[in-house]
Amino acid sequence: MTEHFPSKIGLSQQFSCSYLPEQQEQLLVILDQNCYSPERFEGLLELGFRRSGDQIYRPHCPKCNACESLRLPVQQFNASKSQKRKWNKLSDEFRIEINQQEQPNYYPLYEKYISLRHQDGSMYPPNHLQYESFLFCQWLPITFIELWHLETLIAVAVTDTMPNSLSAIYTFFDPDYEHYSLGTIMILAQINYARETHRQHLYLGYQIDSCKKMRYKSHYKPAQRFVNDIWVHSDTRQKSS
């Protein structure tokens, strides 16, 4: 590990878990402002933390330890036949672009995505304040990986940018293009960008095996999970569970 556990840390109140409704969720929250930099945050990612908006947190639930941080060592990643087929399905009319600044056309795409795909979720109905407070922060550079079809923006992967790693925060896309498996395409685009910029890991957030919404993350290999405060190969974790 490159980072010691912070000394200034808070514990949130318990609230209903959005992924496992029968469970109560509780979070460790970093209070030390010295941790709020790309370099320190990268060390905290290695300790299973993540960010939402400006806040760095880690699940610390009273009766559940289902959330396990997941990361890909991108230089060792091997795309499956299915992933290669989905990527190759994109014709020359599609292109990936990299942007370091938020653009005005992002929010309308986000609003359409939430309104049509996540009406049963906590982010519905979408609004601009919620969009900004969830995706962006003031102390960390963010890379926006865009997918275009001709002159139409159809997907954006919001990606935290650290010296030696990337962290996938959220991807939203045009539901009219859902048949192109854009969720898969954008993770592959993040992996490609991490490789091109000589980074070591892509963090994919938390894996919850019993949550159907999370199972897509297990399709990217070889992956590592943060289990009992150490990183283990994901396949080993699944065999032993």
Side-chain angles (χ1 to χ4, degrees):
M1 296 297 174
T2 61
E3 185 76 27
H4 296 295
F5 207 85
S7 58
K8 295 181 181 179
I9 198 163
L11 185 63
S12 75
Q13 295 183 339
Q14 295 183 31
F15 52 95
S16 296
C17 178
S18 57
Y19 295 107
L20 301 175
E22 71 279 7
Q23 297 290 349
Q24 288 290 300
E25 185 174 357
Q26 199 166 25
L27 303 175
L28 293 177
V29 181
I30 300 297
L31 302 178
D32 185 353
Q33 292 304 308
N34 291 324
C35 292
Y36 285 77
S37 70
E39 294 78 13
R40 294 293 301 276
F41 179 53
E42 187 163 48
L44 291 170
L45 282 168
E46 292 193 34
L47 295 175
F49 283 84
R50 188 161 172 78
R51 79 153 181 94
S52 178
D54 283 322
Q55 192 173 74
I56 302 173
Y57 73 95
R58 190 175 99 169
H60 189 74
C61 303
K63 297 181 180 180
C64 179
N65 58 358
C67 290
E68 295 174 347
S69 187
L70 190 74
R71 71 183 184 185
L72 291 173
V74 295
Q75 303 302 331
Q76 287 79 49
F77 170 72
N78 291 309
S80 67
K81 290 181 179 179
S82 174
Q83 290 161 353
K84 290 178 181 177
R85 185 166 56 249
K86 290 172 182 177
W87 183 265
N88 292 333
K89 188 177 179 180
L90 299 181
S91 68
D92 292 340
E93 294 180 347
F94 294 84
R95 70 183 186 279
I96 298 289
E97 293 191 0
I98 306 299
N99 210 321
Q100 305 300 332
Q101 300 289 333
E102 180 203 3
Q103 300 300 309
N105 53 355
Y106 290 174
Y107 179 73
L109 182 61
Y110 171 88
E111 184 177 51
K112 181 178 181 180
Y113 174 75
I114 296 296
S115 297
L116 296 181
R117 286 287 303 265
H118 293 287
Q119 294 183 7
D120 60 342
S122 60
M123 294 186 290
Y124 181 84
N127 62 73
H128 210 283
L129 178 61
Q130 169 241 49
Y131 157 81
E132 290 182 344
S133 63
F134 167 48
L135 294 180
F136 309 123
C137 75
Q138 300 177 7
W139 51 268
L140 183 69
I142 297 173
T143 297
F144 302 93
I145 301 178
E146 305 169 350
L147 178 63
W148 290 75
H149 178 228
L150 299 176
E151 300 307 313
T152 301
L153 177 68
I154 62 172
V156 177
V158 182
T159 311
D160 286 350
T161 310
M162 284 69 61
N164 297 305
S165 61
L166 301 177
S167 179
I169 295 300
Y170 198 68
T171 292
F172 50 93
F173 57 81
D174 188 336
D176 294 342
Y177 288 81
E178 186 172 7
H179 57 287
Y180 282 100
S181 303
L182 294 187
T184 298
I185 294 298
M186 298 311 288
I187 290 180
L188 295 175
Q190 288 172 306
I191 293 170
N192 288 342
Y193 181 68
R195 284 175 162 175
E196 291 168 0
T197 55
H198 307 291
R199 287 177 165 86
Q200 185 177 4
H201 292 110
L202 171 64
Y203 288 84
L204 292 177
Y206 296 113
Q207 169 71 14
I208 304 173
D209 287 339
S210 56
C211 178
K212 292 182 179 179
K213 294 180 179 179
M214 294 290 193
R215 290 178 185 169
Y216 73 92
K217 297 180 182 181
S218 64
H219 299 158
Y220 300 87
K221 299 180 180 181
Q224 299 170 343
R225 295 194 195 202
F226 194 64
V227 182
N228 297 325
D229 293 332
I230 61 172
W231 289 98
V232 300
H233 290 292
S234 185
D235 287 344
T236 302
R237 172 65 179 90
Q238 290 173 337
K239 291 175 183 177
S240 63
S241 60

